[in-house]
Amino acid sequence: MDAGWFPDPTGHAELRWWDGTAWTEHVSTGGVVTTAPLTPARTAPADAGAPAAQTGQPVGRGDAGITGDLISGTHAEVSGTGSANQNEKMLRVGLGEPFLARQGSMVAYQGEVDFAYQGGGVGRFLKSQLTGEGLSLMRVSGRGDVFLANEQAEVHILHLDDSGISINGRNVLAFSETLQWSIERVQGAGMMTGGLFNTTLRGTGWVAITTAGPPVVLNAAEAPTYADTDAVVAWSASLQTTLKSSFKAGALIGRGSGEAVQVAFAGYGFVIVQPSEGVTAVPAS
């Protein structure tokens, strides 16, 4: 049978989602989608196998006469709790514990979900005003599934285990509420150089970051590593950073912006660089 909503064979709800090969945990009652275990309820029928073949449309489906890959199940939401890539440009979070997300990044949700402004405290507010490293967040809680995206950028999920990562604030999409975050100055970048600041996350949990296209991940321990200040997305918080000037190269450094300053990395860890500086170069007059 094709994927679709069918009468729940376990008896927990009115309908349960059949992905084309097996029953999933997603159920629907009165149009509200939630999750329920696959174990039979006390009043459930004995047989909870595949849905029986029907001559008409499955019960509860309103797509009679409509076919195509969009409703064939290929694009159906992924299952499970926690964070996962719905596709390369969209994040799905099955709510268990609350999490923090970039304001305005929600594109859809199902269930009973609450969105609330998340203040960063006076210290973070003052830093964001002085540094420009703004990170406006919302706290997401409740029961259901939430879908997030940001300007069609690619989404990547990292899991931290008592570790830390420094991320450009514009590349932060969402992260576990269990992680501690702060706005910190990049080592070696003084205020006279433009005061490079990043958002640092520490602790145990997950974080979803975005990149403008497929990134490259560099191992800083392999060789001296440098990245354009606008193209670098994130790096291990354990790395030591300095700024390197390449005035002799002039406008040959960077992708047309004439930028002659890069971030230099040393130590053991990784550096994530996107194939874009994130800014539009202004032609010289």
Side-chain angles (χ1 to χ4, degrees), residues 159-164 176-180 201-206:
H159 297 274
L160 278 62
D161 184 6
D162 193 22
S163 186
S176 301
E177 191 178 47
T178 55
L179 294 175
Q180 299 296 316
L201 300 174
R202 291 187 173 88
T204 298
W206 60 268

Side-chain angles (χ1 to χ4, degrees), residues 116-135:
Y117 170 75
Q118 179 69 29
V122 175
R124 292 196 189 101
F125 173 77
L126 293 176
K127 281 187 177 181
S128 65
Q129 296 302 304
L130 292 172
T131 66
E133 179 68 6
L135 184 58

Side-chain angles (χ1 to χ4, degrees), residues 181-203:
W181 69 281
S182 62
I183 299 173
E184 299 181 5
R185 180 183 296 171
V186 176
Q187 296 175 13
M191 293 301 293
M192 295 304 293
T193 65
L196 294 177
F197 288 81
N198 258 19
T199 299
T200 302
L201 300 174
R202 291 187 173 88

Side-chain angles (χ1 to χ4, degrees), residues 89-105:
K89 297 184 179 181
M90 188 179 297
L91 175 73
R92 173 197 176 273
V93 182
L95 272 167
E97 299 295 330
F99 68 95
L100 302 180
R102 170 182 294 278
Q103 288 186 24
S105 62

Side-chain angles (χ1 to χ4, degrees), residues 13 20 41 48 50 59 97 113 121 123 143 151 169 175 223 226 236 238 240 272:
V59 176
E97 299 295 330
V113 182
R143 295 181 59 189
E151 298 181 350
F175 56 90
Y226 308 91
S236 304
S238 58
Q240 292 79 52
I272 302 173

Side-chain angles (χ1 to χ4, degrees), residues 5 24 28 72 110 114 141 190 202 245 257 282:
W5 291 104
T24 72
S28 175
S72 68
Q110 291 183 305
D114 179 67
S141 60
R202 291 187 173 88
S245 298
S257 65
V282 179

